[in-house]
């Protein structure tokens, strides 16, 4: 049986490593062709750069795989801030982490708490490429 993280498992200052993702030209072009078909994302002759939305999607995939899939998560009440800090080009290897900024009981859902988090992706040279500050609604432990 998989370990499930509940609201009570999250503490201010906790850092969760999310793993890595290698970005390819094919991924950049395929994503952009469907969702963000600007020339800078699809014109391989000009040297493509990943769409910011693609980079955000990579963060989300790493976050789900490393943390959220084993968490009693409900929904996200929202994103407070998202910044694209540097271009992502083919060959980049992005590593992610999430830091817990705050925890508080939910005002509208007594069975849940709200976890305030800051996520980051950095490239293989430790250059930050994405920062996102967001909230997660997490169920409280049924054992309490």
């Amino acid at each position: 049986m998989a370990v499930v993280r509940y609201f009570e498992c999250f503490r201010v200052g906790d850092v969760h490593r999310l793993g890595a993702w290698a970005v390819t030209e094919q991924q950049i072009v395929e994503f952009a062709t469907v969702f963000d078909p600007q020339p800078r994302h699809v014109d391989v002759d000009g040297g493509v750069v990943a769409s910011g939305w693609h980079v955000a999607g990579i963060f989300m995939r790493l976050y789900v795989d490393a943390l959220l899939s084993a968490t009693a998560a409900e929904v996200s009440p929202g994103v407070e801030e998202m910044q694209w800090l540097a271009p992502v080009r083919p060959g980049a290897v992005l590593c992610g982490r999430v830091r817990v900024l705050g925890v508080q009981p939910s005002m509208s859902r007594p069975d849940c708490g709200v976890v305030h988090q800051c996520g980051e992706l950095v490239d293989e040279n430790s250059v930050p490429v994405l920062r996102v500050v967001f909230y997660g609604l997490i169920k409280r432990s049924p054992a309490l």
Side-chain angles (χ1 to χ4, degrees):
M1 183 170 169
V3 174
V4 176
R5 288 180 198 87
Y6 291 98
F7 170 71
E8 294 79 10
C9 298
F10 292 86
R11 303 275 182 255
V12 173
D14 286 353
V15 175
H16 301 276
R17 304 273 176 218
L18 304 182
W21 186 276
V23 181
T24 68
E25 181 177 87
Q26 181 179 350
Q27 291 168 2
I28 291 171
V29 172
E30 286 178 357
F31 179 93
T33 298
V34 176
F35 297 106
D36 193 358
Q38 298 180 66
R40 68 183 48 89
H41 306 315
V42 296
D43 182 7
V44 293
D45 294 330
V48 294
V49 175
S51 164
W53 298 111
H54 182 190
V55 176
I58 292 169
F59 170 81
M60 192 66 202
R61 178 58 192 250
L62 292 173
Y63 177 61
V64 168
D65 289 351
L67 189 65
L68 208 58
S69 63
T71 299
E74 287 288 294
V75 297
S76 174
V79 173
E80 182 176 303
E81 169 185 331
M82 184 178 295
Q83 296 177 319
W84 294 288
L85 303 167
V88 174
R89 301 186 194 299
V93 178
L94 305 180
C95 293
R97 72 180 189 152
V98 170
R99 183 170 33 96
V100 177
L101 302 175
V103 293
Q104 67 180 45
S106 170
M107 300 297 279
S108 61
R109 295 270 311 265
D111 63 327
C112 294
V114 178
V115 180
H116 188 206
Q117 302 167 84
C118 178
E120 288 186 317
L121 287 177
V122 299
D123 70 13
E124 66 281 1
N125 297 312
S126 298
V127 173
V129 300
L130 173 79
R131 183 173 302 116
V132 57
V133 179
F134 61 103
Y135 299 89
L137 188 68
I138 311 294
K139 284 192 148 288
R140 290 179 175 270
S141 172
L144 298 177

